Amino acid sequence: MPEGDTIHGLARRFGPLEGQTIARAEAHLAGKVQGLVGRTVQTVRARGKHLLIDVDDGTTLRVHLGMKGVGHFAARGPSRGGAGLSAEVALVIDTDAGRAQVRFPKVVDRFRTRDEPRHPVLSMLGPDLCTVDVDFDEVVRRAQARPRDFVCHLLLDQHVACGIGNVYRSELCFIARLHPTVEVGALGAARLGDIYREAQRQLRANVGKPVRTTTGRARAPLYVYGRHRAQCLVCGTAIVRAEAAGRGVWFCTKCQRQADPL
Ligand SMILES: [Zn+2]
């Protein structure tokens, strides 16, 4: 499941593209890469779950992997012909440094770089939890504007802070010993700040890791996500799966009681 740590790791892997001339650019939506051949990649970066590739023609490619997308970089010279695109591969960029490919993305888009502050999606993002300098006062302010939301919905809201996906929302609720349906308004500013600081710590620790872990244990890398009916690592109670906003949320009914004093 690609989350902010995945995308920041992907930006690092695509890093060798920087400063390289684009020898070949193909996309399912061909218009998205029109005119890129012969141009130079300036920067590869991430904002939350968005991968951004800045090109010297003043445009930026934006890739969102959604739930199934995968990025791959092969450090080798540009391919001489041969199929790049396929039903799976939606974007190919070849340079002398290697080939970047994206499979099954949710979005491949392109916009004028200077329009980023007004971009309909990017301009709405909250602070990026994968970065060092997160303005947690701003994150808490945005969170407190949604007092009636369940905390499990809040954590997925990229307008509050970006980078958390479905894995981390369950893990963060567990780490904070919060039932997923606790309302945001029941949490004080300090508690909210602590949850997002932990999110930053976990996301940053997992950037570039082949296997994501919140527990630090190789054999049990996650506390609750995807562990329906398995034993809670802390108390042994069977983990429960519920639906929230159309997606699974996993929790321990003993460690995360709804009525816990907050
Ligand atoms: Zn438990």
Side-chain angles (χ1 to χ4, degrees):
M1 185 75 68
E3 306 200 13
D5 50 356
T6 318
I7 308 307
H8 280 258
L10 185 59
R12 283 186 194 171
R13 294 210 304 284
F14 280 13
L17 294 177
E18 291 184 350
Q20 296 289 316
T21 301
I22 297 171
R24 176 181 179 184
E26 295 180 9
H28 278 172
L29 293 169
K32 298 298 179 191
V33 293
Q34 197 168 23
L36 285 182
V37 172
R39 291 294 185 169
T40 301
V41 175
Q42 290 183 314
T43 317
V44 182
R45 57 200 169 95
R47 283 188 62 190
K49 294 192 262 186
H50 302 262
L51 179 76
L52 302 171
I53 302 172
D54 301 321
V55 183
D56 74 345
D57 65 348
T59 67
T60 296
L61 271 172
R62 177 175 71 95
V63 176
H64 192 295
L65 295 182
M67 292 169 70
K68 295 179 185 167
V70 180
H72 178 71
F73 185 80
R76 61 170 186 259
S79 161
R80 306 293 179 210
L85 285 188
S86 68
E88 296 182 6
V89 178
L91 175 68
V92 178
I93 297 174
D94 273 346
T95 70
D96 282 342
R99 167 177 286 188
Q101 285 189 338
V102 179
R103 298 162 58 203
F104 304 119
K106 180 177 153 194
V107 175
V108 175
D109 194 13
R110 191 168 165 204
F111 59 91
R112 284 191 301 181
T113 310
R114 68 177 188 215
D115 291 338
E116 186 168 334
R118 293 175 294 282
H119 188 280
V121 177
L122 299 176
S123 66
M124 300 299 288
L125 295 177
D128 187 343
L129 295 167
C130 289
T131 60
V132 178
D133 297 315
V134 176
D135 183 347
F136 287 104
D137 290 340
E138 175 66 12
V139 174
V140 169
R141 190 186 66 74
R142 290 177 180 227
Q144 288 186 317
R146 304 186 42 177
R148 303 301 303 275
D149 277 10
F150 293 157
V151 66
C152 68
H153 291 168
L154 178 84
L155 290 170
L156 281 186
D157 189 339
Q158 307 297 298
H159 302 158
V160 175
C162 64
I164 298 172
N166 215 35
V167 177
Y168 281 109
R169 76 158 166 174
S170 288
E171 295 297 295
L172 289 165
C173 285
F174 179 84
I175 291 167
R177 300 296 190 267
L178 283 175
H179 191 280
T181 62
V182 166
E183 290 189 356
V184 175
L187 304 171
R191 190 94 190 266
L192 283 167
D194 286 347
I195 294 167
Y196 281 100
R197 281 188 185 82
E198 178 66 14
Q200 180 202 34
R201 194 181 74 75
Q202 293 283 356
L203 281 160
R204 287 182 57 78
N206 281 296
V207 171
K209 291 270 179 69
V211 177
R212 177 185 289 135
T213 178
T214 55
T215 64
R217 304 184 204 178
R219 286 189 164 186
L222 301 174
Y223 287 108
V224 289
Y225 176 83
R227 300 190 65 239
H228 184 43
R229 296 197 181 114
Q231 284 190 340
C232 172
L233 300 180
V234 172
C235 74
T237 302
I239 299 298
V240 170
R241 180 189 189 279
E243 288 279 329
R247 299 172 69 185
V249 60
W250 289 259
F251 60 100
C252 171
T253 53
K254 187 171 176 189
C255 291
Q256 296 166 265
R257 291 174 194 275
Q258 183 125 37
D260 268 359
L262 303 168

